C-alpha cells in the first residue's frame, strides 16, 4: 500500500521521507523517490541553535559547533562535557611518545563500551585523522574540527606518514561501519 501511495500520491500531496542512511532503504522505496541532499549549516547557524539552552561554558560550545560539522545535534548539550573529557584522554593517548599509535585502540574504546560513548569515540577519531591529513596537506586551522588542539594535531601529524594516516582513517571507518 505504501509503494502504491508513493507511486500515485493523493492530489496536492508532498511526501517527505527522511533517512539518516539512504543506502539502508529498500530499492523499491528509493526508486520511487527524488533524493534531496542538504549542505551543512554554517557554524554561526549551529552556534545560534545550540546556544539557546546551553548549560556549559563557551569552550564546550565551540567544540560542539565544530564537532557537529554543520548538523544540528541536540544530544550535544547533554553529553558534550563527557565527550570533551573522552576527547582529551584520547588526544593524550594518541600523542604519547611511549605508546605505539593505535596498538590498543580496542582496549581504549571498550572503556566507554557500556554507554553510547563508543559512537562518539569512533566519530571523533574519524574527525581527528581527517584533521591530521588536512594539516599534513597544508590546510589552515579554520578547516579543522579539532583546531583548538592544534599542537596535538601537529604532533600526531609529525609522527605519521600520510599512508599511515589514511590507513588509520580507513580502520576507524571500517570499525564504525562494522558496528552500526
Amino acid at each position: 500500500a505504501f509503494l502504491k501511495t508513493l507511486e500515485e500520491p493523493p492530489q496536492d500531496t508532498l511526501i517527505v521521507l527522511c533517512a539518516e542512511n539512504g543506502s539502508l532503504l529498500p530499492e523499491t522505496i528509493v526508486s520511487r523517490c527524488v533524493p534531496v541532499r542538504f549542505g551543512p549549516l554554517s557554524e554561526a547557524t549551529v552556534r545560534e541553535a545550540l546556544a539557546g539552552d546551553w548549560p556549559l561554558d563557551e569552550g564546550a560550545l565551540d567544540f560542539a559547533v565544530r564537532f557537529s560539522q554543520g548538523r544540528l545535534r541536540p544530544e550535544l548539550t547533554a553529553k558534550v562535557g563527557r565527550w570533551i573529557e573522552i576527547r582529551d584522554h584520547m588526544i593524550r593517548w594518541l600523542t604519547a611518545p611511549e605508546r605505539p599509535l593505535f596498538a590498543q585502540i580496542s582496549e581504549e574504546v571498550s572503556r566507554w563500551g557500556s554507554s553510547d560513548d563508543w559512537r562518539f569515540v569512533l566519530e571523533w577519531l574519524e574527525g581527528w585523522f581527517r584533521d591530521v591529513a588536512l594539516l599534513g596537506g597544508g590546510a589552515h586551522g579554520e578547516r579543522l574540527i579539532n583546531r583548538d588542539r592544534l599542537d596535538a594535531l601537529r604532533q600526531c601529524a609529525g609522527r605519521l606518514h600520510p599512508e599511515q594516516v589514511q590507513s588509520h582513517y580507513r580502520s576507524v571507518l571500517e570499525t564504525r561501519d562494522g558496528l552500526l
Side-chain angles (χ1 to χ4, degrees):
F2 183 64
L3 289 175
K4 183 70 171 163
T5 301
L6 281 176
E7 287 175 349
E8 299 175 24
Q11 192 172 2
D12 298 327
T13 299
L14 175 66
I15 299 171
V16 179
L17 300 174
C18 297
E20 188 172 319
N21 187 346
S23 66
L24 298 177
L25 294 172
E27 182 57 36
T28 54
I29 301 291
V30 174
S31 67
R32 290 163 173 81
C33 296
V34 176
V36 178
R37 303 207 190 299
F38 297 95
L41 299 170
S42 70
E43 283 191 4
T45 301
V46 173
R47 176 177 297 282
E48 184 179 325
L50 290 176
D53 297 320
W54 194 254
L56 299 171
D57 63 37
E58 194 67 23
L61 178 59
D62 289 342
F63 170 75
V65 168
R66 288 189 313 275
F67 181 72
S68 71
Q69 298 182 60
R71 297 171 287 163
L72 291 179
R73 309 266 312 258
E75 77 276 13
L76 284 172
T77 57
K79 295 183 177 186
V80 73
R82 170 115 174 97
W83 287 355
I84 288 173
E85 289 175 17
I86 292 171
R87 174 199 66 167
D88 290 344
H89 174 81
M90 293 296 292
I91 288 173
R92 284 190 300 275
W93 182 76
L94 287 166
T95 57
E98 70 278 358
R99 183 177 302 233
L101 186 64
F102 242 48
Q104 299 172 346
I105 190 66
S106 61
E107 179 183 319
E108 291 295 312
V109 172
S110 69
R111 297 177 75 185
W112 302 288
S114 61
S115 67
D116 220 16
D117 292 335
W118 64 270
R119 292 177 193 268
F120 164 75
V121 170
L122 291 172
E123 185 176 351
W124 178 80
L125 282 169
E126 178 183 345
W128 178 262
F129 287 114
R130 169 204 172 271
D131 284 356
V132 170
L134 286 172
L135 191 61
H140 299 288
E142 67 273 359
R143 295 191 56 208
L144 304 175
I145 297 167
N146 294 283
R147 63 181 168 253
D148 62 325
R149 299 296 189 265
L150 192 54
D151 289 340
L153 280 168
R154 285 185 178 129
Q155 185 179 357
C156 195
R159 289 178 64 193
L160 299 172
H161 296 288
E163 297 81 21
Q164 291 173 300
V165 175
Q166 186 178 36
S167 174
H168 292 320
Y169 182 80
R170 265 185 280 160
S171 293
V172 170
L173 293 180
E174 289 169 7
T175 301
R176 186 201 60 207
D177 291 347
L179 292 171
L180 297 179

